[in-house]
Amino acid sequence: MQYSQDDENFPLTRFESMLKTNNILFFDSNEFENIIHHYLENGKIPLSKRAIKLGLEQHPTSINLRLFQVEILVIENKFKEADDLLDRLHNIEPTNEEIFIQKANVLSKQDKHQQAIDTLLIAIELSHTPEDDADLYALVGMEYLFLDKFENAIIYFKKCLESDTSDYSALHNIVYCYDFLNQHSEAIDYLNLYLNTNPYCEVAWHQLGRQYFTIKDYAKANTALDFAIISDDTFIGAYIEKGKVLEKLEKYEEAIDNYKISLALDDPTSFALLRIGQCYAKLEQEDLAIQFFKKTIHEDALLDKGWIAITKFYMKRLNYQKALYYINKAVIIDSENVKYWKLYAAVNKRLNFLEEAERGYKRTLDLGNYELDTWLNRSDVLTTLGEYEAAIFNLLQASEFYPESAEVEFRLAGLYFTVHQSEEGRFHLKNATRLNIDYNFIISELFPQLTDKPLIKAIISEAKKTSN
C-alpha cells in the first residue's frame, strides 16, 4: 500500500506523529502491518522494528506481526532466533503457509536450498488460493537456480506463467535457463507457444528475436523484433537488438536508424553510440564514425570498447600517432585494463617506440594475460633492444605455460646461440625442430647473423630430411 504524507487520516501519518509526541495511539493489526511493510519496502529498518514492537504490545497474539519480526531477524542474520520463533508460530498455526515461506527464506539464506525447496512445496500444498501461487512457484524456481538445477527451475518458472501470464520476470528466467543449457531450439519453441496465446507481448517477441540472433537466423530475428516494436513502439531494447541484427545482415544504414531511435527514446547509451560509430566505419563515412566514437568515450569513459574502437580505427588507417593519443588516455583512466596495455604495446611497436612497447607487454603479463603472442612479442622486442638475457628469461617463463611451442623453442635456440651458450642453443634447436620444423624461418628472420652457422644449418637440414 502506498501512503501519502499529505493525507492526515492515513495510519502512517498518525504513527509518525505519535513517535514525535510520545502519545500512545491505537492502531488495528492491519494498520500496523501496512506501516511495517511500508518501512521495510523503503529500507527503514529501525522504524520497522519500532512499529513491530508497538504493534505486538497492542496485538500480542498477531501471527502476521510476529512474521515481520522474523523478517527483521533474517535481515540481521539472526537465523537461529528466526528459526526458533518460526517453530513457536508453527505450533500455534501449523497450516499457515506464510510460516513455511519464511522458514524457506531462513533456510535459503543459510544456503540450504534443497530444504528451502521442500519447505516451499509444503507452503504450496497448504495454499488456499492455488490460482495466485505464482510468487511461490517463482521462489521454488529461484532456489533451483541457486542449485544450478536449470531443468527443474524451468518447470517452476513455467508454472508462474501459467498462474500469471504477465509475469515477465518468470519469462526472462525461463529464457535464462535455456540459454545456460544452450537449448536455444527449446527456448524458441516455448516462446512461440507462449506467443500463440499472448501475441502482443513485446517482451516475448524481443526474447524470441534474441534467440534467433544466437543461432544466427538473422531473418527470423529481424521479423520477431519487428513484432516487438509493433507491440510497443517505445521498446528501446527491441530497437537495439534490431540494430545488431541489421548489422549482421550488412544493412548498416538501417541499423544506424534503429540505434538512433533508441537514443531519441531515452538518454544516450554508450553501446548505441559505439554501434553507430562502427556502422559508419563500415560505410567508410570516417568523419561520422569518429564523431560517434568520441561521443561514446565522452558518454562513458570507463567503457573499454569505446577506447579500443577508436584506437583500432586509427591503427587500421595507419595513423599510429592518433592511435597512441587515445590509448594513452585509456591507460591513464584505467591502468588495470589488460586490453588497453596490449593495444598500447602494439601501437608503440608500430611506431618503433620499443622501450614503451616492452613496458606494455610486461604490464600485460603482470596483469595475468598469458597468451602466447604476448610472450613472443615481448621476447622479440627485447631481442631487438639487445636485452638477450631478459628475452631468455621471458621465454623460459613462457615455456612453463607452452612447453610444446616450437615458436618459443626456436627463439630460445637463437638467443642462446647469440649469447654463445651453444649447448643450450643446440638443446632448444633440436627441441624446436622436433616440435615443428616449419617454424625454422624464425632463425633467419630474428637472428640473421646465425643463418650460416654450420651447427645450426646441420640440425635444421637433418630435421627437414627426417620430416620428409
Side-chain angles (χ1 to χ4, degrees):
M1 178 181 293
Q2 299 296 315
Y3 288 108
S4 169
Q5 293 285 355
D6 299 328
D7 190 336
E8 293 182 354
N9 295 320
F10 264 150
L12 184 64
T13 306
R14 292 175 56 235
F15 181 78
E16 294 190 345
S17 174
M18 181 185 75
L19 293 180
K20 291 174 184 175
T21 61
N22 287 325
N23 292 328
I24 302 300
L25 303 176
F26 179 82
F27 299 85
D28 66 37
S29 61
N30 284 333
E31 287 174 329
F32 270 117
E33 288 172 31
N34 289 329
I35 291 166
I36 296 162
H37 180 75
H38 171 80
Y39 285 140
L40 285 173
E41 285 282 293
N42 289 277
K44 297 179 177 179
I45 306 304
L47 285 170
S48 302
K49 293 169 76 171
R50 188 80 179 275
I52 291 168
K53 182 176 182 297
L54 291 170
L56 286 170
E57 286 174 1
Q58 294 186 13
H59 307 280
T61 61
S62 171
I63 297 292
N64 287 342
L65 291 177
R66 290 289 182 189
L67 287 170
F68 276 121
Q69 199 172 22
V70 171
E71 281 193 52
I72 296 295
L73 290 169
V74 171
I75 290 169
E76 295 176 338
N77 293 327
K78 296 177 179 177
F79 303 122
K80 179 68 168 63
E81 292 176 45
D83 211 31
D84 290 344
L85 179 51
L86 285 168
D87 285 342
R88 293 199 299 273
L89 295 177
H90 178 255
N91 290 333
I92 298 167
E93 283 193 15
T95 60
N96 186 327
E97 66 182 270
E98 190 61 37
I99 292 171
F100 288 92
I101 294 169
Q102 290 291 353
K103 179 80 170 174
N105 185 33
V106 173
L107 290 165
S108 180
K109 295 288 185 182
Q110 298 175 88
D111 295 328
K112 299 176 181 178
H113 300 296
Q114 187 57 57
Q115 289 173 257
I117 290 168
D118 296 338
T119 306
L120 286 167
L121 292 177
I122 296 171
I124 290 170
E125 287 178 15
L126 293 172
S127 172
H128 300 297
T129 56
E131 69 281 356
D132 296 325
D133 283 347
D135 288 345
L136 285 175
Y137 292 131
L139 290 172
V140 176
M142 290 307 298
E143 293 301 320
Y144 276 122
L145 283 185
F146 288 131
L147 292 169
D148 290 340
K149 293 185 176 180
F150 298 98
E151 294 91 346
N152 294 32
I154 287 171
I155 292 169
Y156 281 91
F157 288 128
K158 283 182 178 180
K159 286 178 181 285
C160 291
L161 279 178
E162 289 167 12
S163 297
D164 179 4
T165 57
S166 64
D167 187 347
Y168 297 148
S169 176
L171 185 62
H172 280 293
N173 283 327
I174 290 167
V175 175
Y176 168 79
C177 291
Y178 279 130
D179 278 342
F180 195 91
L181 295 166
N182 287 318
Q183 294 179 355
H184 302 296
S185 296
E186 290 83 347
I188 288 167
D189 290 343
Y190 179 76
L191 287 165
N192 277 315
L193 192 66
Y194 177 83
L195 284 162
N196 285 340
T197 52
N198 302 273
Y200 297 105
C201 177
E202 71 278 7
V203 175
W205 284 115
H206 175 250
Q207 291 293 334
L208 184 61
R210 289 181 66 251
Q211 290 300 313
Y212 280 129
F213 182 88
T214 301
I215 64 171
K216 301 182 179 179
D217 191 337
Y218 301 123
K220 285 185 179 178
N222 197 32
T223 301
L225 292 163
D226 278 338
F227 279 116
I229 291 167
I230 290 167
S231 302
D232 180 0
D233 62 3
T234 65
F235 189 1
I236 294 170
Y239 289 107
I240 294 283
E241 290 296 327
K242 187 170 168 63
K244 289 165 60 179
V245 170
L246 290 165
E247 281 192 69
K248 293 294 184 181
L249 294 169
E250 298 184 1
K251 296 180 178 180
Y252 301 115
E253 290 177 349
E254 290 181 50
I256 289 168
D257 290 341
N258 277 271
Y259 289 133
K260 285 186 174 179
I261 291 171
S262 77
L263 295 177
L265 288 169
D266 201 356
D267 293 334
T269 64
S270 55
F271 178 84
L273 293 167
L274 175 62
R275 294 319 313 164
I276 292 171
Q278 296 285 26
C279 287
Y280 278 128
K282 293 279 176 60
L283 292 167
E284 298 184 355
Q285 297 184 34
E286 297 190 1
D287 289 344
L288 286 168
I290 285 296
Q291 179 184 322
F292 277 90
F293 287 146
K294 286 181 178 178
K295 285 182 177 180
T296 301
I297 56 181
H298 177 76
E299 181 64 32
D300 184 359
L302 297 178
L303 179 70
D304 58 6
K305 290 179 180 177
W307 293 103
I308 290 167
I310 197 167
T311 302
K312 286 186 174 179
F313 177 88
Y314 281 118
M315 286 183 75
K316 190 174 181 182
R317 286 150 184 82
L318 309 182
N319 191 340
Y320 297 113
Q321 287 291 353
K322 278 277 191 183
L324 184 61
Y325 171 78
Y326 283 104
I327 200 61
N328 273 336
K329 290 185 77 117
V331 296
I332 289 169
I333 288 169
D334 183 2
S335 63
E336 301 298 306
N337 190 313
V338 69
K339 294 176 185 175
Y340 289 164
W341 283 107
K342 195 163 187 181
L343 206 51
Y344 171 92
V347 174
N348 277 289
K349 188 178 178 185
R350 288 286 188 177
L351 287 165
N352 209 34
F353 299 159
L354 298 184
E355 288 86 354
E356 286 302 307
E358 193 278 324
R359 174 176 172 248
Y361 288 125
K362 184 177 185 304
R363 189 81 176 102
T364 302
L365 292 166
D366 289 343
L367 289 169
N369 179 283
Y370 300 139
E371 294 173 4
L372 179 59
D373 71 317
T374 306
W375 295 103
L376 298 180
N377 279 316
R378 183 174 182 235
S379 165
D380 294 348
V381 170
L382 286 167
T383 300
T384 306
L385 289 168
E387 300 282 350
Y388 303 127
E389 294 295 340
I392 289 170
F393 181 69
N394 173 76
L395 287 170
L396 290 173
Q397 287 180 297
S399 67
E400 293 178 17
F401 294 92
Y402 302 96
E404 299 293 305
S405 171
E407 293 175 274
V408 170
E409 291 297 310
F410 272 112
R411 283 172 169 81
L412 278 170
L415 284 162
Y416 275 121
F417 279 119
T418 299
V419 297
H420 308 295
Q421 295 184 34
S422 297
E423 277 306 305
E424 287 85 350
R426 183 171 175 276
F427 170 80
H428 285 287
L429 186 58
K430 280 184 168 291
N431 225 8
T433 56
R434 176 183 61 80
L435 289 167
N436 193 335
I437 185 60
D438 293 338
Y439 281 105
N440 73 89
F441 65 86
I442 289 172
I443 296 294
S444 57
E445 281 194 2
L446 294 180
F447 309 97
Q449 75 279 10
L450 301 176
T451 306
D452 294 326
K453 192 174 177 65
L455 176 59
I456 293 173
K457 287 175 71 174
I459 293 172
I460 291 174
S461 177
E462 182 62 29
K464 283 180 178 178
K465 287 177 187 176
T466 306
S467 67
N468 291 330

